[in-house]
Amino acid sequence: MLFSLRRLLPAKKPQKTSHHNEVPRHVAIIMDGNGRWAAERGLPRTAGHHAGMGALRRTIRAAGELGIEVLTVFAFSTENWKRPKAEVDFLMRLPQEFLKTDLPELMEKNVRVRMSGNREGLPLHTLQAVDTAIEKTKTNTGMILNFALNYGSRAEIVAAVRKIAFLAAKGKLDPQTIDENRFNQYLFTADLPDPDLLIRCSGEIRLSNFLLWQLAYAELWFTDVYWPDFKGEHLLAAIEAFRRRDRRFGGINL
Ligand code: FPP
């Protein structure tokens, strides 16, 4: 039976400041631990990635129920190309496989798909699957599901600097006008709010070149749970922890 996850969140006491959020607008997730999940079961790593798709499906449903506006998931990093070719090939087929089965539900739930990452280097079939989903969901007005695919934060920042330097050299951009907001416009996430909450699974406590600029003021939440075992209850626990945090953005709460 369907129940609302949001109802499980206790009402928050009124706060003196506006820094306390009910639910994070943007949640970013490092979906880690697929390989170890599989190894513990004597299965190939690819079985872990396949199970990870189920966790992604559950998380999208839970995030939608909770009223999260943007869900960014780290599906493939620029460093993941170092993996054996067979695993990379498998990972590159996952967006197709996932969207083939889940696009109807994403449509029904009014989810809008988009991508953050370098298109260069991605196989055509991967890009076609993602582009089709982006196109089909482009007028949806519900949650944004942002796939970080072939994504690396340092490369993203360097690409932004290169574009800005190019425009400045051509006399099309005055360096004096570059501020944080302006710089942000050259990132993949230009039109998205910064993540409020970062979740990483599998016991690793690091950012791994994920959204380094955008996570400047995010609350970080780590769990030992491997991604394939991640469920709505874990997302809820992360959000409950987020709601207990005192976000001051460098200021003080009087
Ligand atoms: C990290 O676990 C996970 C990945 C590199 C792939 C993420 C993919 C999914 C969660 C499947 C769903 C994705 C799509 C695009 C539908 P790992 O392999 O590094 O695990 P390990 O650290 O235990 O080896």
Side-chain angles (χ1 to χ4, degrees), residues 24 26-31 68 70-74 194-200 210-211 215 218-219 221:
H26 184 171
V27 175
I29 307 185
I30 302 178
M31 310 183 285
I68 288 163
V70 187
L71 180 68
T72 296
V73 290
F74 206 0
D194 282 343
D196 304 290
L197 173 65
L198 170 86
I199 295 173
R200 183 169 191 156
F210 189 43
L211 301 172
L215 290 173
E219 296 297 327
W221 190 83

Side-chain angles (χ1 to χ4, degrees), residues 31-36 45 49 75 80 83 91 94 98 227:
M31 310 183 285
D32 200 6
N34 293 352
R36 280 163 287 167
R45 293 178 55 81
H49 297 316
N80 287 152
R83 296 186 178 204
L91 287 169
L94 282 184
F98 178 75
W227 176 250

Side-chain angles (χ1 to χ4, degrees), residues 22-241:
E22 279 293 308
V23 167
R25 289 183 70 192
H26 184 171
V27 175
I29 307 185
I30 302 178
M31 310 183 285
D32 200 6
N34 293 352
R36 280 163 287 167
W37 181 93
E40 278 187 2
R41 288 158 179 79
L43 298 169
R45 293 178 55 81
T46 48
H49 297 316
H50 196 268
M53 276 201 302
L56 178 60
R57 184 174 299 124
R58 290 193 296 271
T59 305
I60 294 167
R61 287 178 186 154
E65 280 189 37
L66 286 162
I68 288 163
E69 290 174 42
V70 187
L71 180 68
T72 296
V73 290
F74 206 0
F76 192 88
S77 78
T78 44
E79 289 72 33
N80 287 152
W81 295 109
K82 293 181 209 152
R83 296 186 178 204
K85 186 176 179 306
E87 184 174 345
V88 169
D89 288 349
F90 187 89
L91 287 169
M92 285 299 140
R93 280 195 299 273
L94 282 184
Q96 259 162 296
E97 196 179 330
F98 178 75
L99 292 165
K100 199 168 136 195
T101 52
D102 287 58
L103 194 53
E105 181 173 336
L106 297 179
M107 284 301 290
E108 187 196 310
K109 300 236 162 92
N110 200 20
V111 172
R112 183 168 173 193
V113 174
R114 54 178 283 168
M115 176 189 143
S116 291
N118 274 320
R119 295 176 63 84
E120 299 84 53
L122 286 171
L124 201 60
H125 63 87
T126 311
L127 278 175
Q128 277 170 348
V130 175
D131 284 346
T132 303
I134 291 172
E135 180 61 26
K136 284 202 171 146
T137 62
K138 72 177 180 197
T139 55
N140 287 354
T141 53
M143 187 176 79
I144 292 172
L145 172 61
N146 182 28
F147 283 102
L149 198 57
N150 198 17
Y151 176 84
S153 192
R154 287 185 172 184
E156 177 189 36
I157 291 168
V158 169
V161 170
R162 197 181 299 124
K163 277 183 225 151
I164 290 167
F166 183 78
L167 291 172
K170 289 239 165 197
K172 291 184 176 166
L173 193 149
D174 175 2
Q176 293 297 336
T177 64
I178 301 165
D179 58 13
E180 291 180 14
N181 284 333
R182 195 87 195 259
F183 184 80
N184 196 51
Q185 287 165 22
Y186 293 88
L187 302 177
F188 292 121
T189 51
D191 51 337
L192 299 178
D194 282 343
D196 304 290
L197 173 65
L198 170 86
I199 295 173
R200 183 169 191 156
C201 321
S202 87
E204 309 291 3
I205 317 282
R206 55 176 172 263
L207 296 179
S208 299
N209 202 18
F210 189 43
L211 301 172
L212 300 180
W213 169 277
Q214 297 88 335
L215 290 173
Y217 279 102
E219 296 297 327
L220 312 180
W221 190 83
F222 300 97
T223 174
D224 288 341
V225 169
Y226 291 147
W227 176 250
D229 289 329
F230 195 87
K231 300 192 173 61
E233 69 202 60
H234 302 112
L235 182 63
L236 200 61
I239 290 173
E240 277 171 349

